[in-house]
Structure formats: structure tokens, C-alpha cells
Amino acid sequence: MNVLVVNAGSSSLKYQFFDTTTGNVVAKGNCERIGLDGKITHKQLLSGKTYTAELAMPNHAVATRIVVDALTNPEYGCVKSMDEIEAVGHRVVHGGPYFFESVLVTPEVIEKLELCRDLAPLHTGPHLMGIAGCTEVMPNVPQVLVFDTAFHQTMPAEAYYYPIPYEMYEKYKIRRYGAHGTSHRYVAGEMIKLLGKPAEETKIITCHLGNGSSISAVKGGKVIDTSMGLTPLDGVIMGTRCGAIDPAIVTFIMEKEGFTPAQMSDFMNKKCGFLGVSGISSDCRDIENAIGEGNERAALALNILNYQIKKFIGSYTAAMGGLDAIVFTAGIGENTSLVRAGALEGLGFMGIEIDKELNNSVRGKLTKLSTDNSKVQVWLIPTNEELVIASDTEAIVKALNK
Ligand code: ADP
């Protein structure tokens, strides 16, 4: 099936065009500066032909039209006409308490997604615009929503409930939702295949470490806990996000610095993490370079991450009553050997042993990092969220046609 996978942001629309029979991406691209002026960067992957243009994109519908034109272009496109686009799959950041799995877009689904605006104000509006854009340009093509929160919906109440008055949960739906669920689901699924035993018997910790980072405990193929919370600010230190801090720090800094709630939110989301601790950069590559030059605050930033990952591994192993495998994925997980080695250092007592030389040399490709003596397997598994979105979309749309 030909599936267009769309990731709509406030001023951008990223896309990948999948042929699900081969699992290959045949074209991909990005529309940027929607609502400002507009630029498309497109690549046909079979021929390697590219197309870049500055075109007016006043809204997501116009951007969608431009994407469809690129996909159907005889020179750098990949299909003859719009009729060959069989389905659209959207990445959706937050499904609130309403969505446990991927769904077909219907008017009822849009109504429920509207209710998620408060939970992900920066993302939900743009998603809705992306869906509306596709509906306008391709009214007869079925659309599917795949939620970053859905895989985490299996958490038990003691893992997702915060110790605040129950009315806050009832009134505002404040609870742990988690994030990066599509990535955790993909790598956990791949890890289950690699373990070669029934999914129900597996205990896996998945570490999605990128600009935003989250760690999940996946027992029997289902998430039982995850490090991100109501929002993607919770959990471990990130590029510019603080992760979990003593909640009293929030009011303390607000009072001392005279910050409004919006300023405090901006501070915690954009000024903390690697950037705030190191004073250098939010990017792990810059942090690594600075460590190489002997910068102590850069080393501290990375040590905080390693220590926090180690603590999550310990606590999630306890929560699951054992551990079969640890997976590292996303930008840092796939590329930064210092983090993988640092996080696992001293965990020999848990039966975790990695091949240090192999760990140092490998980047971005499927690799078993643990030694044959290691009781717990450790793997680098490159994530592929778009493939999950394309597969879910295909499955839902095929079921419709039956
Ligand atoms: P996002 O959360 O934006 O999707 P990524 O998963 O792309 O983030 O991860 C970005 C992080 O991965 C950055 O801190 C970056 O420094 C780090 N990283 C380290 N090495 C590489 C590399 N070779 N390529 C891409 N990112 C890398």
C-alpha cells in the first residue's frame, strides 16, 4: 500500500512516502516556514532526484497541495496521480486519556483530539491543521492517527497517578502519559523478536535518548512505567529540558527571579538540561567535544544523564521483577558510546556486561553490544517511528476495505 506519513508541526510539515509492501520509503521531504513564506525540500529516494522551491504556504492545506504536487511530479515524484496515494498516517504527539491505539480519522475522533489541546498546546493545533489540510486536498483518502502516548496507556494506576488531589485528575486529566511511545513500541517489538521468546515472558528497558529523552519499562510487550510524565519535561536531563526536579525549585526560582508561569515554563523547557548545566550547548556532540577538551561542566552534564539512566534501569528492573534486555535508540542512544558505557558502568552485579571496544566503535546500526556472558542483552536498535505509522495506517485501512 502507498502510505503518506505526515508529521505536522506549527510551521512545518515533514513527510515520508512508504511502499508498505517493501517497507521502503520512496520519497521524503519537508515543508518549512508555513504561515510565514514557505519552502519545500523533497527527495525521490529511488533516483536520488531532489526538488527544492520557495513557494507561498499560507497554511497547511496549501503545503499539503505542494507535497502532493511533488509526489506526483513526472520527474522527481513517485506516483502518477493523487489516486495512487492510498492512505495518510499522521504522527500525533498527545492522545490524552482518549486514545489507546491508532485510529481512523472520523468527526468523533477530531472532537476527541480537540480535547487534547490543553495537554499538548504546541502540537495539537498543528496536527489538526495537518489533518484538515489533507482532508481538503485528498477528501477521499482515509487518514489514520498514530499517537506518541498510546503505547504507554497500559501503565497501571500506581505508575501513572501523581500524588495530588484526585479532583485534579478528574478536572484536568493530570496524570503520567509518557512520550515517544511509537519509538518505544518499535524498538521493544524488534527486541522481542531478537530475544526469540514469547512476548509475554519478556522484560525490556527501552532508552530513547535524543534531544528529548525517555526511558520505558516494557513487561510482556506492554509498558508498565515510563519516565516522561504529563508532559515531555519529566524524566532525565535533556538537551534544554531539566527533566524531573524537586517541584519546590519551581516556585523558588519563580519568586527569586520574578518569573511568570510562562517564563518559568520557557526556562525549564529551553534553558536547562545540557545547555544550562554545561553553559555550552544543548547538543550532545558539542558536549562530547567539550569533554574532550577537559571542560568539567560538560562532563557534569553527561554524568548526570548517565547516572539518571542507571537509576532508571535499577528501578525499572525492580518494577518488572527482572530484566532480559536494554535497548538504546535515537540520536544519543544510537551515536554516543560515552552515554551507553557510562550508564551501564558498575552494573555487572545485575548481569550486564558490554563489549567496550564494540560499543566505542559502533554508530546508528543494529548491534548487540552485550557480551555472550552477559545475562542481560544490550542492543543498539535504530528507531523507525515512521515505519510504525505506515504499518498501523495500512492495517486500519485494509480492515476498512474488507
Ligand atoms: P530529536 O529528539 O530532536 O528527534 P535526535 O534523536 O535526533 O533528537 O537526537 C539528537 C541528539 O543526538 C543531539 O544531542 C545530538 O548531539 C545527538 N547525536 C550524537 N551523535 C549524533 C549523530 N552522529 N547524528 C545525530 N545526532 C547525534
Side-chain angles (χ1 to χ4, degrees), residues 38 79 118 235 262 296 302:
V79 285
D118 267 0
E296 286 180 14
L302 209 71

Side-chain angles (χ1 to χ4, degrees), residues 64-82:
T64 307
R65 162 65 61 198
I66 289 168
V67 170
V68 171
D69 287 347
L71 293 171
T72 52
N73 183 282
E75 195 190 328
Y76 46 78
C78 51
V79 285
K80 286 203 192 73
S81 77
M82 202 166 77

Side-chain angles (χ1 to χ4, degrees), residues 99 104-115:
F99 298 103
L104 184 76
V105 172
T106 63
E108 295 75 36
V109 161
I110 297 294
E111 265 174 42
K112 278 195 195 161
L113 189 57
E114 284 282 356
L115 300 175

Side-chain angles (χ1 to χ4, degrees), residues 96-144:
Y98 312 105
F99 298 103
F100 316 113
E101 58 190 6
S102 305
V103 292
L104 184 76
V105 172
T106 63
E108 295 75 36
V109 161
I110 297 294
E111 265 174 42
K112 278 195 195 161
L113 189 57
E114 284 282 356
L115 300 175
C116 300
R117 275 187 191 267
D118 267 0
L119 294 168
L122 299 179
H123 293 104
T124 310
H127 293 332
L128 283 158
M129 291 192 283
I131 299 163
C134 290
T135 310
E136 196 178 315
V137 177
M138 301 173 273
N140 300 322
V141 178
Q143 298 181 59
V144 167

